[in-house]
Amino acid sequence: METSPDGTWIAETPDGVVVARVRTGEVLVDRPSRRTFREPEPPEFEDGRLVVDGVVLGRVAPLPARLAELTGWYGYDGRRILLTQVPEAYFGEPMVLVAEGERVVRAYAVGEGRLLTEEGESIDLADDWLLRVTDRGEVVTLPRWSHRREEEVTFTVGDVLLAGTVILPPGPGPHPAAVLLHGAAGGQRDFCRLHADPILAAGVAVLIYDKAGHGLSGGREPSVFDQADAGEAAMRELARHPGIDPARIGLAGFSNGMWAVPMIAARTGAAFVTGVGSAGVSMGEAEVHRRTKVLRDAGVGTATVAAVGEAWRCIFAIVGEGATGPVRHRLRLALDAIAAAPDLGLYEIPDYVRENPMLSPIPPLLPVAALIELLGDTRDPEVTYDPVTDYAELDCPVFLQYGADDTSVPVEVSVERIRRAIAGAGRESEIRVYPGLEHMLNVLPADLTGLTPEGAMYQFHHFRYGQGVWAELTAWLRATVADTDGMPDTERRSGARGVQNSRSVGSSRPRRAS
């Protein structure tokens, strides 16, 4: 029986690593060293194997069976690597990620125990908890890093059992701690290690967990309200841990998780709140921003972008509150304008949209009645929920970070609305906005062809965090809640590194009115 060539292929070539994806006869080639991606090539095969640039490629293997067990930090003699993963195909395919300093590099399985990064490093996953990293013929062996201790935990939310990991910094404790809440992408805990790293560097323990319906957790895909319930239960789990100081448990989140974080802190209290890409508007309005910005960045014209924004506002209003007559009329006009638009073809569909079509910036071009029927009768209050009402109730210090070029969150309006809410509550806050950075505080990649900035970010091609942005979070946590007894010198110094130019917006220590 003939095997389909569809799938992902990889090889090292004299000019660097080549990755090719075959879909129904179409071949799209990535050459990371040349900064070119998704280049179409005529299919060429030799004995059933794909050939690119005269080199025979091999199929990318499934993720190693032990990968979840092996994720974590490895280090020796001043070098430290984080091995982690996104095991679900939310962004088009599962991903292995290797983080070192401010770089995060894609890696591909080329066997059960071997990875190949886009930069050409070979990583062998040894049975003795060692990483053997080969780069240009030089081999470095890294053991599991002793400054991170991990404990598996479970906790319940109602009748749903969730599975997580408590990661402890060095030292005897009791430590301050944070529950880290997911973004929307994927749902398994390992990806959260990227965001946990600067928190741990401050001497603050972190609980990461598989969202309901993902990984080892039961239940089904949660709403932000379900996520708030889960985060509250995770705080209770941390409070029972003998190595944690129950008076210093706070909340951290990224993107979608930052609708749930202020909700939890407002209703139950927290020692602190930190967040990256925190929306100060409803989920629906944030999605209008994302979808219109993606089209605008692709060169789609102002009139078409305005019609798309209007259509999505109507769709989210229907999902959240129902289809009134005026909303139906506005939606019909917007869809008619989009259907007649001459410039939608400028937008090229990325892998994550192919995997999740409802993330497309272009609304379904259906008759209004058919579209309303497709949306269904069930109302979804999370799309219209305003998080600012929760920020106004906070009774703890807050530290928020944004990339000024965030595709997913309207930064200026979010910062202004959250700043006013926190100032009105009389609480200490720091809000930092970093020019030239995207949603994940990553540098916007320059001179890449074949990918949008958003596509490059979510698929971790040439991914680098802004210089020193994580150090700012580490330094703030140390000053606010942490102690550094027992921490290694490298982490004690990490908060003092050079920082990406930023502007501090609404930094305040206001007093309550009597």
Side-chain angles (χ1 to χ4, degrees):
M1 183 176 176
E2 187 173 340
T3 303
S4 169
D6 285 5
T8 305
W9 300 73
I10 191 169
E12 295 180 87
T13 77
D15 293 328
V17 171
V18 170
V19 181
R21 292 167 178 85
V22 181
R23 295 193 194 95
T24 60
E26 180 185 34
V27 179
L28 299 175
V29 178
D30 294 349
R31 297 177 178 86
S33 62
R34 298 185 192 175
R35 306 179 75 84
T36 62
F37 295 85
R38 308 306 191 264
E39 289 187 314
E41 297 272 343
E44 179 184 350
F45 292 90
E46 181 179 304
D47 296 328
R49 298 178 65 182
L50 184 65
V51 178
V52 175
D53 298 340
V55 176
V56 178
L57 278 62
R59 282 188 183 272
V60 170
L63 296 185
R66 296 182 62 221
L67 187 59
E69 181 184 355
L70 295 172
T71 55
W73 289 265
Y74 295 79
Y76 178 71
D77 196 25
R79 185 176 187 184
R80 180 163 62 93
I81 283 178
L82 169 61
L83 175 67
T84 191
Q85 63 169 338
V86 182
E88 297 164 311
Y90 191 90
F91 294 124
E93 60 191 10
M95 292 187 291
V96 181
L97 304 174
V98 181
E100 184 171 9
E102 287 156 347
R103 294 182 309 122
V104 183
V105 181
R106 280 285 293 272
Y108 299 84
V110 292
E112 174 55 32
R114 184 166 178 258
L115 307 172
L116 179 63
T117 75
E118 287 191 339
E119 294 184 352
E121 287 187 316
S122 174
I123 300 176
D124 290 300
L125 309 175
D127 291 334
D128 46 4
W129 299 94
L130 299 172
L131 291 189
R132 293 188 175 88
V133 182
T134 304
D135 185 17
R136 299 177 181 86
E138 181 180 345
V139 180
V140 177
T141 300
L142 301 175
R144 197 81 173 198
W145 200 42
S146 61
H147 299 298
R148 298 283 184 266
R149 293 176 291 137
E150 301 192 7
E151 299 177 10
E152 302 302 298
V153 296
T154 58
F155 54 97
T156 57
V157 184
D159 59 354
V160 176
L161 184 68
L162 301 183
T165 303
V166 175
I167 311 173
L168 295 158
H175 303 285
V179 174
L180 181 53
L181 277 83
H182 295 260
Q188 297 190 38
R189 75 192 83 167
D190 286 329
F191 176 71
C192 292
R193 294 174 186 274
L194 291 169
H195 293 273
D197 200 43
I199 301 173
L200 289 158
V204 179
V206 180
L207 192 159
I208 58 177
Y209 64 96
D210 296 336
K211 279 199 298 190
H214 297 262
L216 299 178
S217 290
R220 58 187 179 182
E221 186 69 33
S223 68
V224 293
F225 307 111
D226 298 327
Q227 275 285 75
D229 292 340
E232 188 176 342
M235 292 180 77
R236 291 194 295 269
E237 177 65 25
L238 279 175
R240 290 190 288 267
H241 193 289
I244 301 301
D245 179 357
R248 292 188 293 165
I249 298 175
L251 295 156
F254 163 65
S255 190
N256 183 271
M258 287 307 294
W259 274 285
V261 161
M263 201 182 302
I264 303 165
R267 72 191 188 193
T268 66
F272 59 89
V273 161
T274 73
V276 173
S278 312
V281 296
S282 70
M283 193 177 294
E285 194 59 34
E287 275 299 304
V288 170
H289 165 82
R290 183 186 71 80
R291 294 167 198 244
T292 54
K293 185 176 185 299
V294 165
L295 293 180
R296 194 179 301 113
D297 290 347
V300 175
T302 302
T304 303
V305 169
V308 167
E310 174 71 354
W312 281 116
R313 283 193 177 91
C314 292
I315 289 170
F316 290 126
I318 291 168
V319 170
E321 300 167 347
T324 64
V327 170
R328 288 172 180 262
H329 178 67
R330 288 167 47 205
L331 179 58
R332 181 176 298 107
L333 293 178
L335 292 176
D336 287 347
I338 296 167
D343 48 359
L344 279 180
L346 294 171
Y347 171 70
E348 296 184 13
I349 300 174
D351 288 348
Y352 75 90
V353 171
R354 294 179 193 275
E355 187 69 27
N356 297 275
M358 284 307 293
L359 294 178
S360 172
I362 303 170
L365 299 179
L366 300 172
V368 169
L371 179 51
I372 291 174
E373 183 178 358
L374 177 67
L375 296 174
D377 296 327
T378 303
R379 304 280 71 86
D380 184 357
E382 75 173 355
V383 300
T384 55
Y385 186 82
D386 188 349
V388 167
T389 58
D390 294 317
Y391 281 104
E393 299 297 323
L394 297 192
D395 192 27
C396 65
V398 177
F399 185 77
L400 303 179
Q401 295 174 287
Y402 297 87
D405 292 296
D406 194 317
T407 296
S408 297
V409 170
V411 172
E412 289 189 12
V413 65
S414 292
V415 166
E416 177 59 23
R417 297 187 81 232
I418 293 173
R419 182 195 62 78
R420 286 203 311 264
I422 294 175
R427 302 310 304 171
E428 175 185 340
S429 68
E430 292 282 345
I431 300 179
R432 306 287 172 85
V433 179
Y434 305 95
L437 301 190
E438 246 285 5
H439 186 51
M440 295 177 68
L441 302 185
N442 58 297
V443 178
L444 287 168
D447 304 324
L448 297 188
T449 61
L451 291 173
T452 65
E454 187 186 37
M457 172 178 65
Y458 283 137
Q459 294 173 56
F460 289 88
H461 297 301
H462 288 275
F463 186 101
R464 180 169 56 85
Y465 289 113
Q467 181 182 357
V469 295
W470 282 145
E472 286 200 359
L473 172 58
T474 299
W476 183 87
L477 284 167
R478 286 187 191 151
T480 305
V481 295
D483 53 57
T484 57
D485 293 344
M487 290 176 57
D489 289 342
T490 53
E491 294 204 321
R492 193 175 288 116
R493 293 192 302 267
S494 67
R497 292 182 296 164
V499 176
Q500 173 94 19
N501 290 334
S502 66
R503 54 190 176 95
S504 182
V505 182
S507 174
S508 62
R509 289 172 176 78
R511 298 177 180 177
R512 282 187 181 274
S514 57

